[in-house]
């Protein structure tokens, strides 16, 4: 299984601050990250190409020793992992 890595470099002047297209289970999806001022944290959304939202959740960082699959129980052939220490979004 190949792993795609995307540098997490949000731009505060863009709306949304971060957006990429990812491939999960052989289908393209839009991955967006927004900052919530009230909760002081990043949130992500995954939508299909027709803008139908699949998931919205906090962007939780995996640890060095354990991956946290942010799309658990949604996609079965791939997982989505965020590594804050590397500023990296990974699709495995």
């Amino acid at each position: 299984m190949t792993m795609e890595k995307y540098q997490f470099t949000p731009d505060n002047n863009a709306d949304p601050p971060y957006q990429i297209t990812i491939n999960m289970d052989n289908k393209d999806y839009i991955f967006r990250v927004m900052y919530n001022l009230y909760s002081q944290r990043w949130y992500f959304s995954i939508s299909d190409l027709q803008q139908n939202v699949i998931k919205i959740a906090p962007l939780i960082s995996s640890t060095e020793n354990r991956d946290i699959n942010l799309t658990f129980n949604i996609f079965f052939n791939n997982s989505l992992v965020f590594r804050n220490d590397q500023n990296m979004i990974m699709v495995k």
Side-chain angles (χ1 to χ4, degrees):
M1 178 182 293
T2 63
M3 177 173 29
E4 295 292 325
K5 293 183 177 183
Y6 304 91
Q7 190 70 39
F8 180 63
T9 53
D11 178 359
N12 291 330
N13 295 318
D15 186 25
Y18 184 79
Q19 178 175 307
I20 55 175
T21 301
I22 59 174
N23 189 284
M24 303 288 283
D25 291 352
N26 296 315
K27 189 174 175 187
D28 286 340
Y29 293 90
I30 301 167
F31 177 80
R32 294 182 177 105
V33 179
M34 298 80 48
Y35 192 77
N36 184 291
L37 287 172
Y38 182 76
S39 63
Q40 299 289 300
R41 68 181 309 164
W42 292 102
Y43 283 80
F44 75 93
S45 70
I46 296 177
S47 306
D48 63 19
L49 298 180
Q50 289 74 40
Q51 305 295 325
N52 298 308
V53 175
I54 309 294
K55 181 174 185 167
I56 298 174
L59 186 62
I60 300 169
S61 181
S62 293
T63 64
E64 184 177 318
N65 300 329
R66 173 166 275 179
D67 287 345
I68 299 171
N69 181 4
L70 299 174
T71 57
F72 175 76
N73 231 7
I74 297 174
F75 302 105
F76 299 100
N77 297 319
N78 297 101
S79 60
L80 181 74
V81 174
F82 171 58
R83 294 218 180 270
N84 189 43
D85 59 340
Q86 300 174 14
N87 285 338
M88 200 68 65
I89 304 288
M90 294 181 259
V91 175
K92 297 182 173 187

